[in-house]
Amino acid sequence: MNSCIEDQGWVNTRAWVERSLHPGDRIHAVTALRGGWTSHMRCLDIEGQEEPYALVLRSFVKPFHVKHALGLLRREAGILHLLRDTGVPAARLHGVHAAAEHCDHPSLLMSLLPGSVRLDEDDVERRTQLLTRQLVAIHRLIVPERDRPRRYEAWTSPERLRIPEGTERPELRQRAVDVIRREPPAHGPVSCTVTSIPATSPSPDMALSW
């Protein structure tokens, strides 16, 4: 067990995770995952009576995300549940504790997808094709109205944005800022994702972060 992980305050969260595991399963090892900006991300190696497996624990610790955790984590849990029986490769939801009454921080527990983040330029054409196909598949998902997220809202304001001095197309950037001032246009609802991460998951060879 990494001592720095223990120092981040997750005794209660660990107890919540262990209560959610199958009878006889236990946390064998914990590894801090890199790259999480909004959350502390941990990989939990689980051992028990059957084959070992891994889970990912997302915990909101920054004040802004803790404040909005109830909505953010419930929506993420809802999306993972929605994707469970589709062909979109996404993590399986194992538990969510958005209000954190019994955790140190608001947390979500999910399966670990195989693969790794690719930042190199090798095989870019193939990865781009896979990404394009996967995004098309996401947009084609039919989401019942009762399961759709809240109405669109911008998480910034035109007053907080400024046009970079070095841009070669200031008019284009200004148009983007002006869009925020207006009400959303008429549209047909589609599913979308905020990030897509190439991975070595089952075909299609893409793993998604919602």
Side-chain angles (χ1 to χ4, degrees):
M1 180 70 64
N2 190 323
S3 60
C4 69
I5 295 177
E6 291 283 13
D7 293 342
Q8 291 171 0
W10 82 300
V11 174
N12 294 326
T13 305
R14 177 179 179 130
W16 168 72
V17 170
E18 291 179 331
R19 288 195 298 271
S20 70
L21 300 177
H22 296 299
D25 288 2
R26 65 183 185 88
I27 299 174
H28 172 69
V30 182
T31 305
L33 298 177
R34 297 180 298 170
W37 183 80
T38 63
S39 324
H40 279 167
M41 305 291 292
R42 300 178 176 93
C43 178
L44 313 180
D45 292 323
I46 310 299
E47 289 187 347
Q49 299 178 356
E50 299 184 4
E51 288 293 320
Y53 59 97
L55 298 175
V56 172
L57 176 68
R58 175 202 296 280
S59 296
F60 283 157
V61 296
K62 294 182 179 181
F64 173 84
H65 294 97
V66 170
K67 178 181 179 181
H68 297 281
L70 199 63
L72 291 172
L73 290 181
R74 283 181 175 175
R75 283 195 295 276
E76 181 173 0
I79 290 171
L80 293 179
H81 179 74
L82 177 70
L83 294 174
R84 183 179 180 90
D85 297 320
T86 71
V88 176
R92 291 295 182 98
L93 179 67
H94 280 254
V96 60
H97 202 331
E101 296 103 329
H102 306 293
C103 293
D104 302 282
H105 304 97
S107 299
L108 183 142
L109 188 65
M110 55 189 158
S111 63
L112 174 68
L113 291 173
S116 61
V117 177
R118 293 280 301 277
L119 299 178
D120 57 78
E121 297 184 3
D122 296 338
D123 207 16
V124 171
E125 183 175 352
R126 176 175 177 271
R127 283 186 281 154
T128 302
Q129 292 174 350
L130 291 170
L131 172 62
T132 303
R133 287 191 217 134
Q134 191 61 78
L135 292 176
V136 170
I138 293 170
H139 286 304
R140 287 176 174 168
L141 288 176
I142 304 299
V143 182
E145 187 170 356
R146 67 178 182 278
D147 295 327
R148 294 173 190 168
R150 64 186 180 188
R151 186 174 178 271
Y152 164 82
E153 66 177 54
W155 273 34
T156 188
S157 65
E159 293 72 26
R160 296 181 58 187
L161 302 176
R162 65 180 182 85
I163 308 301
E165 296 179 358
T167 181
E168 297 180 358
R169 305 183 65 184
E171 72 285 351
L172 182 63
R173 291 180 178 269
Q174 186 59 56
R175 284 171 55 192
V177 174
D178 291 340
V179 168
I180 302 177
R181 303 179 191 276
R182 303 196 298 265
E183 290 295 314
H187 62 280
V190 297
S191 302
C192 64
T193 175
V194 292
T195 56
S196 297
I197 304 173
T200 56
S201 53
S203 179
D205 192 18
M206 302 298 295
L208 302 173
S209 174
W210 291 74

